[in-house]
Amino acid sequence: KAGVTQTPRYLIKTRGQQVTLSCSPISGHRSVSWYQQTPGQGLQFLFEYFSETQRNKGNFPGRFSGRQFSNSRSEMNVSTLELGDSALYLCASGDGQGTEAFFGQGTRLTVV
Amino acid sequence: GNSVTQMEGPVTLSEEAFLTINCTYTATGYPSLFWYVQYPGEGLQLLLKATKADDKGSNKGFEATYRKETTSFHLEKGSVQVSDSAVYFCALRYAGGTSYGKLTFGQGTILTVHP
């Protein structure tokens, strides 16, 4: 069974640009969650999607948005990038019933 | 709100030493508890889990017991190896209310094991 796939693995963007990250969950999983990992703030929850609906959202500005498609693949978008958005963005896949979550390898975003 | 507190690191041990990483939590209701491990340049891997009080999760020689009376979920391993060097995260998930899939993580503990 394939794991969680995140693309791309690495990104370098300039301040003010926007970026889209992609996550393909484990086959059969309908829940996709996104997390931001930084040395200073640790792992912070961004949002969770289940069957194309956002069920939960963390405390991030509106520049951070996401969506989920009918095949459960999810994208996360960050507009008007700031230096502080440099981080490892992790996607987690689950069955949506509150059981364990399985993570992808992450996308390393660097904003210059 | 929900929170997780892990012991401060980094932790440095010699091979075959005993490992304990403390984790305590604050949560309403009855959360599920997890330990994740992160190797350099990688995402998080689920190490073990426990979903109710007194459950013991175990995997690859690691163990943790869900202690509701002390709100703790300490990670232990009897004999660590160099390959166990990584960052360990304690996390909780409360499936009720509006929390759904949200995991709340501790700050992580860096473990280094020397030969």
Side-chain angles (χ1 to χ4, degrees):
Chain A
K1 204 173 191 181
V4 181
T5 303
Q6 290 189 246
T7 54
R9 287 291 310 274
Y10 302 92
L11 268 176
I12 300 176
K13 290 287 187 179
T14 303
R15 266 184 306 174
Q17 287 186 314
Q18 74 164 17
V19 66
T20 299
L21 313 181
S22 178
C23 173
S24 293
I26 292 169
S27 179
H29 283 182
R30 293 192 291 163
S31 168
V32 173
S33 301
W34 289 89
Y35 295 81
Q36 181 194 64
Q37 185 178 23
T38 59
Q41 299 298 316
L43 282 152
Q44 293 187 287
F45 173 77
L46 281 154
F47 29 66
E48 189 226 3
Y49 286 87
F50 180 79
S51 293
E52 302 179 66
T53 300
Q54 187 182 87
R55 286 203 299 193
N56 200 358
K57 188 176 188 308
N59 295 323
F60 278 82
R63 300 184 297 106
F64 291 81
S65 63
R67 60 178 175 169
Q68 187 179 33
F69 301 96
S70 58
N71 62 357
S72 294
R73 190 177 71 85
S74 177
E75 288 182 346
M76 189 190 94
N77 184 274
V78 187
S79 62
T80 319
L81 284 165
E82 301 177 359
L83 295 179
D85 297 333
S86 295
L88 180 67
Y89 290 88
L90 292 163
C91 158
S93 159
D95 62 9
Q97 303 304 315
T99 55
E100 61 266 30
F102 299 92
F103 283 80
Q105 291 190 297
T107 294
R108 171 75 62 185
L109 172 64
T110 302
V111 182
V112 297
Chain B
N2 299 333
S3 65
V4 176
T5 302
Q6 287 181 234
M7 65 183 286
E8 301 243 348
V11 174
T12 303
L13 296 172
S14 297
E15 207 164 27
E16 299 183 3
F18 184 85
L19 168 70
T20 299
I21 301 177
N22 289 339
C23 171
T24 57
Y25 68 90
T26 301
T28 54
Y30 301 93
S32 295
L33 301 174
F34 306 88
W35 278 100
Y36 283 88
V37 58
Q38 185 175 37
Y39 298 99
E42 300 292 321
L44 302 179
Q45 295 180 23
L46 178 65
L47 184 57
L48 53 83
K49 68 174 183 178
T51 58
K52 60 183 188 298
D54 299 325
D55 265 2
K56 177 185 280 189
S58 61
N59 185 27
K60 301 179 182 180
F62 291 90
E63 292 183 341
T65 301
Y66 189 161
R67 301 285 189 201
K68 192 171 188 314
E69 64 276 13
T70 54
T71 62
S72 65
F73 192 54
H74 305 322
L75 182 68
E76 297 182 334
K77 187 176 185 184
S79 176
V80 294
Q81 305 300 311
V82 172
S83 57
D84 294 327
S85 298
V87 184
Y88 291 81
F89 292 93
C90 183
L92 70 81
R93 165 176 279 174
Y94 177 53
T98 57
S99 294
Y100 295 113
K102 177 181 176 180
L103 281 163
T104 300
F105 288 91
Q107 66 270 40
T109 301
I110 299 172
L111 170 66
T112 303
V113 181
H114 293 297

